[in-house]
Amino acid sequence: QKSRVAGKRVEPLDPEFEKIFDYATDFFRPQLKSHIIKTPTGRGKARTTTEKEVSFWSTSIVKPLVAENLANRKPWFEGFATFFTRKDPANGKPLYPRLFFEKKGLAKMVDSEVWSNAGQEALVRGVQFALKSRFGEISGQFSGNPQGMKNKFQKEFEKWRIQFVSSKTADQFRFAVCDLMSRARGNQQIQENWQSVLPLLSDSSWQHGRDLALLALASYKGKGDKEVIDDKAEASEVEA
């Protein structure tokens, strides 16, 4: 079967863009994955289920976006929100669960020198701080009930994912961000960099702010991060 590829002539990148591309190349390598296929057989009391572990190589969906953006001199994260609205061409299912397979790379990316201004990083850190704070409250409420805690973690994560994805205007996005931030006290990143964050909530740049907010969710690490992995994306992971 033939595959189609596109070619693009790219002028030499600025050193800062080259550094970001190097990070992406290092952090988003192909990974060996495995998942369990369950096959039911028989009926009634004779019904049994056999399990078979299947391994496969998973290539990054993030790296091509970063490369395309850098080649066009755009912010490396531009369009990240599209991962949450597109379908996986391989199976027609939502694409975003594949981001859970790239959580480690995304976390390393946001921890690296990839920001062009303080507001970008502050918004990512602020969203993550607020989410961690919410998970801390949930942990206290469901102490002694691990399944209930897991379910609540997942619902909380989905709530903010949907809030950000469904934001179609600057006003809707600003409301979603302020709603989340109001539920977490002591958000130092937002407090100290508020003037730098404001442009990302403006009518002209709110889409970049939404990209960053969803990037913050996808790269979140801390209390509850393992529990929020979508059941459809759940798989054992082996580093390549």
Side-chain angles (χ1 to χ4, degrees), residues 61-82:
I61 60 173
V62 177
K63 183 181 174 182
L65 174 73
V66 175
E68 182 72 15
N69 281 334
L70 295 178
N72 289 291
R73 273 59 179 178
K74 296 178 180 180
W76 64 271
F77 54 82
E78 183 172 302
F80 194 85
T82 63

Side-chain angles (χ1 to χ4, degrees), residues 62-184:
V62 177
K63 183 181 174 182
L65 174 73
V66 175
E68 182 72 15
N69 281 334
L70 295 178
N72 289 291
R73 273 59 179 178
K74 296 178 180 180
W76 64 271
F77 54 82
E78 183 172 302
F80 194 85
T82 63
F83 289 133
F84 293 84
T85 57
R86 288 159 46 197
K87 300 290 186 181
D88 190 334
N91 53 31
K93 296 180 180 180
L95 184 63
Y96 82 89
R98 288 185 59 182
L99 292 173
F100 291 116
F101 295 147
E102 304 197 55
K103 179 182 284 287
K104 290 181 181 178
L106 289 168
K108 290 179 180 178
M109 196 74 175
V110 301
D111 285 343
S112 301
E113 297 177 0
V114 295
W115 309 111
S116 59
N117 62 67
Q120 294 173 356
E121 183 176 11
L123 181 55
V124 170
R125 303 299 184 195
V127 169
Q128 292 180 337
F129 177 90
L131 187 63
K132 184 176 182 179
S133 178
R134 288 292 302 131
F135 284 170
E137 293 179 14
I138 292 170
S139 179
Q141 294 168 1
F142 287 84
S143 177
N145 183 1
Q147 186 59 48
M149 186 185 302
K150 177 180 179 180
N151 293 341
K152 187 63 176 177
F153 280 155
Q154 291 178 340
K155 288 180 180 179
E156 186 72 14
F157 182 89
E158 282 298 291
K159 173 183 177 179
W160 300 111
R161 180 187 70 82
I162 293 171
Q163 282 261 47
F164 292 139
V165 171
S166 61
S167 296
K168 305 302 181 185
T169 66
D171 284 340
Q172 291 175 345
F173 177 63
R174 284 193 289 264
F175 176 83
V177 170
C178 292
D179 188 16
L180 175 58
M181 299 303 174
S182 68
R183 299 168 189 264

Side-chain angles (χ1 to χ4, degrees), residues 19 51 96 172 193 221:
K19 180 171 64 176
E51 296 185 353
Y96 82 89
Q172 291 175 345
N193 296 281
K221 56 182 180 180

